[in-house]
Amino acid sequence: MLGLLAYAIVLGPPSLSTPQNTTYYLADGEVMEGYDVGASRKWISLDEMPEEVLDATLAIEDHRFYDHFGFDFKRIASAALTDLKTMELSEGASTITQQYARNLYLSHEKTWLRKLKEAFYAIRLEIFYDKDEILEGYMNTIYYGHGAYGIESASRYFFNKHASDLTLAESTMLAGVPKGPSYYSPLADEENAESRQAQILSRMNDLEFITNSEKDEAVTASLNYYDHSSEEAKAVGPYFQDEVVKEAARLLDVEVEAVESGGFHIYTTLNPEHQSKLEEALKEEFGSASEIETAAVIMDNDTGAVTAMAGGRDYSASSFNRATQAERMVGSTIKPFLYYAALQEGYSPLTMQESKPTSFELEDGDVYSPSNYNNYYAEDEITMAQALALSDNIYAVKTNLELGPKKLAKTMNNFGFKEDLPAVPSIALGTPSLSLYDMVNGYSKLTGASSSVEKHTITKITDHRENVLYEYEPVSQDDFKVDKKDAFSVTHMMTGIFDSALNGYMNVTGSSIAGELSRTYGGKSGTTDSDSWMIGFSPQYVMGVWSGYDDNRKITQPRDQQYSKELWANTMERIHEDEPVSAFSPPKGLRGVYINPESGKLSGPSCPEERLVYLEKKDIPKETCEGEDADINEIEEDLENDPWYKNIVDWFQ
């Protein structure tokens, strides 16, 4: 101990320079504006801080602060016993001196090495600075959330007043926030914050800092928080920015608060044009609609980079991100993964199943009787391509039972869904509850035909000296490769939901917005009693939209069922205004042939309806819709003699 003290003295006083704000950048390299609304580090002296806020902080954080030399050995012994029982650093015993040392010099990671360094810095602080200097520094650097560092900034952010004017009720509310700003901030979770405040008031009363009457008065006092909605409206993609901080915390293995005060440079994937157009479309579509909520994510098909995100209609009203945090029943948006699994097992886009009311007897003797939306059935055999365009549930369940439900569950896992999905017949109809973020990520892997495509909001992180701490690199899965032919077949089949050729005699699910689209897209809608989904794509971008009520009530109004499709169509058209028209190029081994949708056979003069379908040679029908034998060799020869641009032209038919 003497040697340690001597070494600390030789090193001299540690610097009291404060942490640096983290800087965030847009995809184009420009600094992101709006994230640090209210962020500041306004230093005030200890004399300018009210006694109430100092007493509240000491009571809850370190009531023996003025009596120890940087360490509270009673708390350390109690915490050590708890840590030994759990075999992890689960219990904290840091004094104000130790917390100040951590804020100044160290990361927030929970490791024994960091704790040892923290203790050494605490010794140095206690040797060279008096208690008031340490407490003043702590009160001016502790993080209160929402970009506010120090009690003066926190007071202005939460109550729009100087710290010297804080009441006991306001002081105790703020004193509870630093333990976990995302959990105890009254602006994030008022119930948690009030519970924490009551604990602090009781502690102050026990220590005789306040009387019973003062405690009771503070508990019942009404607090008026400053409204930042006008400032937050200036922020670019606030839901996206929240996700960036969480992702950075995961990548760096630190707490969220450490990200925001770490002086990092974080380069994001946010495209301000996409974000602006998404928010414009959202306001237009929803306007002054009822309590229905929505969420949307736009992602680059090739890379998985998130270019825009909305976690709700109004961030100032609710910061809960429904795109990343909510898990809802996905409905028919799961079907593309089912049909990919079927193609893997030898099915083709022309595989026929009968669409009519059907009861399935299961292995355990139970009877399962799914139904189609609005009880519409083709009452005939239909192809897989038709089934996807119609969102036919009978076809989906038959296919799922033939494959075995475990096949679809495994396929979903391969496409990035980590959940333990139930391998039951109804999984084919989207009974699992998943996040919109994960669904869009899965579609991006499918439409991009690559398992290495992974959702991300960050491309690079550097420290304040520009040393690279993280850089995004796509990582291929060793145990799963997306089959390019089957992925393309599913992708192309999904254009059918907007196909006028099919809509002539079938009610395809995208018909209500097909007239709003100026180029070819693919997609899939999904509807449950309480959820409305639309996930669709161009060759460049995939976008997903969910709409519904936070309390999971049923969607009963027809207009509410259209919001997702309308927002999707409106936004996709806007973000593609300046994009060149492009097409998915079919991989080698697939050829486009014209099929009569009703018969599933090659089209002919007497069957005017036709649909371009991409097939392997073995799956090309050997008959025309007129019942005549087709010359496969002639078809193959014609296909081989097609000009190079025919596949692209075919795509837009």
Side-chain angles (χ1 to χ4, degrees), residues 216 247 286 317 631:
D216 294 339
E247 185 173 318
F286 284 82
D631 188 336

Side-chain angles (χ1 to χ4, degrees), residues 85-152:
K85 288 178 179 178
T86 60
M87 295 306 294
E88 61 181 15
L89 289 172
S90 58
E91 183 75 13
S94 296
T95 62
I96 281 176
T97 307
Q98 289 173 274
Q99 291 182 53
Y100 187 33
R102 181 173 64 230
N103 292 340
L104 286 176
Y105 314 118
L106 303 169
S107 71
H108 290 249
E109 60 184 349
K110 291 186 176 183
T111 64
W112 292 106
L113 179 60
R114 195 270 292 164
K115 295 292 287 184
L116 291 172
K117 290 180 178 178
E118 177 186 293
F120 184 66
Y121 275 111
I123 291 173
R124 294 178 66 193
L125 287 173
E126 290 280 351
I127 290 173
F128 291 102
Y129 301 99
D130 64 39
K131 288 289 188 179
D132 284 351
E133 287 180 294
I134 294 172
L135 182 59
E136 180 178 299
Y138 173 82
M139 294 298 299
N140 279 296
T141 57
I142 195 69
Y143 185 56
Y144 289 86
H146 308 282
Y149 294 85
I151 189 60
E152 177 68 9

Side-chain angles (χ1 to χ4, degrees), residues 211-266:
T211 65
N212 287 330
S213 60
E214 287 174 326
K215 182 188 80 168
D216 294 339
E217 183 179 346
V219 166
T220 58
S222 177
L223 300 181
N224 297 313
Y225 301 106
Y226 182 59
D227 183 6
H228 288 272
S229 57
S230 60
E231 297 171 352
E232 289 171 343
K234 301 174 185 177
V236 179
Y239 289 106
F240 177 92
Q241 293 181 15
D242 284 353
E243 183 58 28
V244 167
V245 176
K246 292 177 181 177
E247 185 173 318
R250 292 193 298 270
L251 294 172
L252 299 175
D253 194 23
V254 298
E255 298 172 4
V256 166
E257 292 75 24
V259 172
E260 297 179 326
S261 61
F264 301 111
H265 294 267
I266 300 180

Side-chain angles (χ1 to χ4, degrees), residues 488-548:
F488 183 85
S489 291
V490 175
T491 296
H492 186 261
M493 282 192 287
M494 280 194 278
T495 65
I497 77 166
F498 308 117
D499 197 327
S500 58
L502 295 177
N503 198 41
Y505 65 98
M506 298 190 303
N507 185 25
V508 295
T509 55
S511 59
S512 62
I513 56 172
E516 303 174 30
L517 306 179
S518 62
R519 60 178 73 196
T520 298
Y521 301 97
K524 188 72 192 75
S525 59
T527 304
T528 74
D529 288 342
S530 54
D531 305 279
S532 174
W533 295 75
M534 179 64 207
I535 309 177
F537 51 88
S538 69
Q540 296 98 327
Y541 302 105
V542 57
M543 176 181 179
V545 182
W546 166 88
S547 299

Side-chain angles (χ1 to χ4, degrees), residues 343 346-351 485-486 489 589-591 593 595 600-602 613-622 632:
L343 294 177
Y347 290 60
S348 89
L350 301 184
T351 297
K485 289 190 293 185
D486 290 343
S489 291
L590 288 183
R591 301 310 302 257
V593 294
I595 301 296
K601 299 176 182 179
L602 295 171
V613 177
Y614 282 86
L615 301 167
E616 293 188 62
K617 181 179 179 180
K618 66 180 178 60
D619 295 321
I620 296 175
K622 296 178 174 54
I632 302 301

Side-chain angles (χ1 to χ4, degrees), residues 209-522:
F209 288 163
I210 59 174
T211 65
N212 287 330
S213 60
E214 287 174 326
K215 182 188 80 168
D216 294 339
E217 183 179 346
V219 166
T220 58
S222 177
L223 300 181
N224 297 313
Y225 301 106
Y226 182 59
D227 183 6
H228 288 272
S229 57
S230 60
E231 297 171 352
E232 289 171 343
K234 301 174 185 177
V236 179
Y239 289 106
F240 177 92
Q241 293 181 15
D242 284 353
E243 183 58 28
V244 167
V245 176
K246 292 177 181 177
E247 185 173 318
R250 292 193 298 270
L251 294 172
L252 299 175
D253 194 23
V254 298
E255 298 172 4
V256 166
E257 292 75 24
V259 172
E260 297 179 326
S261 61
F264 301 111
H265 294 267
I266 300 180
Y267 297 84
T268 79
T269 60
L270 185 67
N271 182 321
E273 289 289 327
H274 285 194
Q275 187 66 41
S276 174
K277 290 175 179 179
L278 169 59
E279 292 175 1
E280 288 171 3
L282 197 154
K283 289 178 181 178
E284 284 184 15
E285 294 300 333
F286 284 82
S288 59
S290 64
E291 298 175 355
I292 194 168
E293 269 294 352
T294 193
V297 175
I298 303 174
M299 194 177 292
D300 186 290
N301 258 339
D302 292 329
T303 66
V306 179
T307 64
M309 177 184 291
R313 290 169 55 182
D314 185 357
Y315 185 85
S316 63
S318 170
S319 61
F320 178 71
N321 193 330
R322 296 158 186 83
T324 61
Q325 294 174 275
E327 293 187 345
R328 305 291 293 233
M329 197 176 295
V330 299
S332 292
T333 57
I334 204 172
K335 290 175 181 174
F337 302 106
L338 169 67
Y339 296 133
Y340 174 88
L343 294 177
Q344 288 278 284
E345 294 299 314
Y347 290 60
S348 89
L350 301 184
T351 297
M352 306 288 276
Q353 300 273 21
E354 194 168 17
S355 171
K356 67 178 183 180
T358 306
S359 293
F360 299 91
E361 185 173 347
L362 308 180
E363 292 181 357
D364 59 5
D366 289 344
V367 175
Y368 179 49
S369 302
S371 61
N372 279 348
Y373 184 68
N374 285 337
N375 289 314
Y376 171 82
Y377 302 90
E379 298 292 349
D380 200 353
E381 287 193 331
I382 58 174
T383 65
M384 182 187 292
Q386 288 174 286
L388 193 52
L390 287 167
S391 198
D392 190 276
N393 288 340
I394 305 301
Y395 192 110
V397 173
K398 283 184 178 180
T399 303
N400 187 39
L401 290 175
E402 289 171 359
L403 296 175
K406 289 183 180 179
K407 179 69 177 179
L408 176 53
K410 175 63 175 175
T411 299
M412 295 291 288
N413 293 149
N414 286 338
F415 276 95
F417 298 92
K418 306 303 182 186
E419 291 81 357
D420 185 14
L421 301 175
V424 295
S426 61
I427 187 178
L429 306 186
T431 51
S433 293
L434 302 168
S435 74
L436 174 65
Y437 201 24
D438 285 344
M439 286 299 292
V440 175
N441 186 54
Y443 269 62
S444 188
K445 290 176 183 290
L446 183 63
T447 57
S450 173
S451 60
S452 64
V453 172
E454 189 60 47
K455 61 183 187 294
H456 62 282
T457 63
I458 296 172
T459 57
K460 185 171 70 171
I461 303 175
T462 69
D463 63 17
H464 65 284
R465 293 186 178 89
E466 296 298 331
N467 296 311
V468 176
L469 305 177
Y470 165 81
E471 193 157 12
Y472 175 78
E473 291 288 345
V475 179
S476 298
Q477 297 181 39
D478 294 333
D479 58 344
F480 174 65
K481 303 292 182 185
V482 179
D483 185 291
K484 294 185 181 298
K485 289 190 293 185
D486 290 343
F488 183 85
S489 291
V490 175
T491 296
H492 186 261
M493 282 192 287
M494 280 194 278
T495 65
I497 77 166
F498 308 117
D499 197 327
S500 58
L502 295 177
N503 198 41
Y505 65 98
M506 298 190 303
N507 185 25
V508 295
T509 55
S511 59
S512 62
I513 56 172
E516 303 174 30
L517 306 179
S518 62
R519 60 178 73 196
T520 298
Y521 301 97

